[in-house]
């Protein structure tokens, strides 16, 4: 019975988050050198026990998230509201905030790169290995994994300046520096909550469902809060910029999106859709509106990027390092896997270079993605086969998902790029896209181990989780994606779980 109450589900998720954090202290992405011993490494037995505990906690968290979705499909008196959902997010995130890095060691790269900027190294020409043993970021650099040790930073100057500030404030000491970077991730989470709620209102969607899929999602908790990935900050700024544009401030929105681009470049797609928002609201012939509306967001963003790059002192080297990540093979990249297979076959048959064939397949995948994005942009302006134009936010979310699906490098948390935008649009909840996002969110949390490695059993667990999610959907284990609320939300008595569900307005 407790699984059918909002309070019971909240407690289940909190217990799962506590187990994830506790297991992570033994099996997380622990630093190689940590002078205080707070996050020291352990023996095989303790590490294995910690991993088992972390996986068990993760499973509880996933079950709680799914059960929460079922509650949202209930009637108005029982379904938890937006305010209750935000508080639940706090409960689930709090245990993870003080844990070591979970499911990724990327935060050590961030700290090392911040130290490189602080010491005057060119982060766009060298990797963390350039730091000497007496450097502020030496301990973090020692914990950078594999290929990333010698890989230049693919991140924009805004993020590197934030990392520099954290290193300066903490002296580069590993534990305080990680927690400093996590504070930035938590701030990004708060901004994402604000933006998702605002976008849901603007797009006529249900705030509760949008928050559930976008921010209560275990994939986000695991990789933005636990793994401290800067994708969370990119998403937050990108969505905030789009929201400002929807509220009639496209120039300010474009400036904010430019900041997101200087975290990670895929946010640049939002500039296209801000331009389309301006075009849709203009008057006169379509061609004239396109000429007047489309260039503005890009020009504003260029001005902000140039100013930030010059004032920040890191220069424009980040523009040439955007492809460095694509050189690292990730099994989740469809085009990289196909390219690898085609390259091996071509080498065996004709002696062709594997890298050449693989690169051609990856390039073709990006070309297909660009064509699909162009189609979605046109669909944002024009009807097609009797269907009305797409909403700009919906179009942005779908475009980001297409880009991820066909990118030469794909990580589990990349799914979050488009998920929040899709979740905030009313039209999305009537499409199969949300079902796919539900299933993938459940499966991808298992792909990486708490240590940040990608073991074979991660794919097995992920496939099993996806299969379970599909079976649950087919058997009617309802979620907001499948069953709309049975009636209008009724305000509960003070202190009740429903809280405020927000307003609804016509889609823009």
């Amino acid at each position: 019975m407790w699984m059918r109450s909002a309070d019971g589900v909240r407690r289940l998720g909190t217990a799962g988050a506590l187990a994830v954090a506790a297991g992570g202290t033994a099996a997380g992405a622990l630093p190689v050198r940590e002078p205080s011993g707070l996050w020291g490494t352990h023996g095989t037995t303790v590490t294995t026990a910690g991993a088992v505990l972390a996986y068990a906690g993760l499973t509880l968290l996933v079950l709680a998230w799914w059960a929460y979705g079922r509650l949202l499909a209930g009637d108005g008196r029982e379904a938890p509201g937006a305010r209750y959902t935000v508080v639940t997010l706090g409960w689930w995130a709090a245990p993870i905030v003080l844990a070591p890095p979970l499911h990724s060691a990327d935060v050590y790269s961030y700290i090392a790169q911040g130290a490189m900027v602080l010491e005057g190294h060119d982060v766009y020409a060298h990797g963390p290995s350039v730091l000497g043993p007496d450097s502020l970021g030496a301990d973090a650099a020692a914990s950078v994994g594999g290929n990333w040790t010698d890989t230049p930073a693919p991140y924009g100057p805004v993020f590197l300046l934030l990392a520099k500030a954290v290193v300066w404030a903490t002296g580069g000491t590993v534990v305080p520096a990680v927690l400093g970077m996590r504070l930035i991730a938590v701030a990004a989470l708060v901004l994402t909550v604000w933006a998702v709620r605002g976008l849901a209102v603007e797009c006529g969607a249900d705030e509760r469902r949008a928050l559930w899929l976008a921010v209560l999602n275990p994939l986000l908790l695991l990789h933005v809060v636990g793994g401290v990935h800067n994708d969370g900050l990119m998403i937050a700024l990108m969505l905030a910029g789009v929201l400002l544009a929807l509220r009639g401030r496209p120039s300010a929105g474009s400036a904010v999106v430019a900041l997101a681009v200087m975290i990670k470049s895929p946010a640049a797609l939002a500039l296209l859709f801000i331009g389309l928002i301006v075009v849709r609201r203009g008057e006169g012939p379509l061609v004239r509106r396109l000429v007047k509306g489309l260039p503005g967001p890009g020009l504003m963003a260029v001005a902000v990027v140039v100013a930030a790059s010059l004032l920040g002192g890191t220069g424009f080297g980040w523009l040439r390092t955007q492809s460095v990540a694509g050189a690292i093979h990730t099994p989740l990249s469809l085009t990289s896997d196909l390219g690898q297979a085609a390259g091996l076959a071509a080498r065996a048959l004709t002696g062709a270079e594997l890298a050449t064939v693989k690169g051609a397949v990856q390039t073709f995948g990006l070309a297909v993605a660009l064509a699909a994005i162009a189609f979605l942009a046109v669909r944002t302006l024009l009807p097609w086969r009797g269907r009305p134009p797409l909403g700009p936010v919906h179009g942005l979310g779908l475009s980001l998902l297409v880009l991820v699906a066909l990118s030469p490098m794909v990580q589990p948390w990349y799914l979050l790029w488009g998920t929040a935008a899709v979740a905030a649009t009313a039209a999305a909840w009537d499409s199969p896209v949300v079902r796919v996002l539900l299933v993938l969110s459940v499966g991808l949390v298992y792909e990486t181990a708490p240590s940040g490695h990608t073991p074979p059993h991660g794919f097995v667990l992920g496939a099993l989780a996806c299969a379970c999610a599909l079976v649950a959907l087919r058997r009617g284990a309802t979620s907001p994606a499948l069953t709309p609320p049975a009636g209008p939300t009724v305000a509960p008595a003070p202190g009740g779980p429903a809280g405020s569900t927000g307003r609804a307005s016509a889609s823009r």
Side-chain angles (χ1 to χ4, degrees):
M1 292 296 293
W2 58 273
M3 280 284 284
R4 298 181 181 179
S5 72
D7 288 343
V9 171
R10 175 188 277 179
R11 294 189 188 100
L12 177 67
T14 304
L18 284 168
V20 167
T25 60
L30 302 173
V32 173
R33 294 203 305 257
E34 202 282 281
S36 71
L38 185 63
W39 289 347
T41 56
H42 304 273
T44 302
T45 301
V46 174
T47 301
T48 302
V52 171
L53 178 61
Y55 276 121
L58 178 57
T59 302
L60 291 180
L61 191 59
V62 169
L63 290 174
W65 180 65
W66 196 272
Y68 201 96
R70 296 185 65 185
L71 291 175
L72 290 179
D75 64 40
R77 293 184 180 276
E78 296 180 0
R83 189 181 306 154
Y84 191 88
T85 302
V86 173
V87 174
T88 300
L89 173 64
W91 279 53
W92 292 4
I96 301 174
V97 169
L98 296 177
L102 300 173
H103 294 264
S104 174
D106 283 5
V107 68
Y108 300 122
S109 293
Y110 303 161
I111 296 166
Q113 288 159 358
M116 290 172 66
V117 175
L118 192 62
E119 295 191 354
H121 296 285
D122 185 354
V123 291
Y124 300 124
H126 307 286
S129 62
V130 76
L131 291 172
D134 297 326
S135 299
L136 289 179
D139 288 341
S143 301
V144 175
N147 296 318
W148 298 107
T149 302
D150 297 306
T151 301
Y155 312 120
V158 168
F159 180 72
L160 292 177
L161 291 176
L162 290 173
K164 172 186 174 182
V166 169
V167 173
W168 176 83
T170 61
T173 307
V174 171
V175 173
V178 168
L179 295 179
M181 296 302 300
R182 189 167 272 148
L183 282 178
I184 295 174
V186 171
L189 181 60
V190 172
L191 181 59
T192 303
V193 168
W194 174 80
V196 168
R197 294 189 71 172
L199 288 172
V201 169
E202 295 293 328
C203 297
D206 187 333
E207 283 184 66
R208 304 166 305 158
R209 295 195 293 179
L211 288 170
W212 174 75
L213 178 57
V215 295
L216 203 61
N217 194 321
L219 191 63
L220 182 139
L221 290 170
L222 203 67
H223 287 292
V224 171
V225 181
V228 206
H229 287 114
N230 58 6
D231 301 72
L233 184 57
M234 179 200 77
I235 293 166
L237 291 169
M238 178 180 67
L239 296 180
V242 174
L243 178 57
L244 289 173
L246 283 175
R247 290 179 172 176
R249 301 173 63 189
S251 295
S254 300
V256 173
V257 170
L259 297 178
V261 172
M262 287 184 287
I263 304 296
K264 295 189 79 168
S265 59
L269 268 179
L271 296 169
L272 169 62
F273 286 90
I274 288 179
L276 294 173
I277 290 170
V278 176
V279 171
R280 283 165 59 114
R281 292 182 174 178
E283 297 180 354
L286 178 59
V287 173
R288 182 183 301 173
R289 285 186 282 139
L290 285 169
V291 171
K292 292 176 62 177
L294 277 184
L299 293 174
M300 171 61 75
V302 167
V304 173
V305 166
V306 170
S309 297
L310 292 175
L311 294 174
T314 56
F316 297 92
W318 63 286
L319 296 175
R320 70 172 182 267
T321 61
Q322 293 305 298
S323 61
V324 297
I328 300 173
H329 186 90
T330 53
L332 292 179
S333 171
L334 176 64
T335 57
S336 292
D337 291 340
L338 291 176
Q340 184 90 353
L344 290 172
R347 186 172 63 182
L349 294 173
T350 67
E353 290 289 335
L354 170 62
T356 302
V357 177
K358 182 178 179 181
V361 174
Q362 291 174 330
T363 301
F364 177 74
L366 287 175
V368 173
L370 290 175
I373 291 166
F375 172 75
L376 290 169
V378 173
R379 282 282 289 116
T380 304
L381 294 176
L382 301 173
W384 185 65
R385 294 186 176 180
R387 298 176 184 176
L390 293 174
V393 179
H394 192 186
L396 171 61
L398 294 177
S399 296
L400 288 165
L401 293 176
V402 167
L403 179 62
V404 170
L406 295 173
S407 286
M409 179 180 181
V410 179
Q411 299 286 11
W413 55 92
Y414 288 7
L415 185 73
L416 299 170
W417 293 0
T419 297
V422 168
T425 58
W429 293 89
D430 295 324
S431 73
V433 174
V434 169
R435 294 174 175 83
V436 172
L437 293 177
L438 294 180
V439 173
L440 290 179
S441 294
V442 168
L444 288 176
V445 293
Y446 292 98
E447 197 256 347
T448 55
S451 63
H453 297 103
T454 307
H457 69 256
F459 293 96
V460 175
L461 292 175
L464 289 174
C466 286
C468 291
L470 284 170
V471 170
L473 289 176
R474 290 178 64 86
R475 290 186 176 180
T478 56
S479 73
L482 301 178
T483 306
T489 300
V490 178
S500 170
T501 60
R503 302 158 292 163
S505 65
S507 178
R508 300 186 183 181

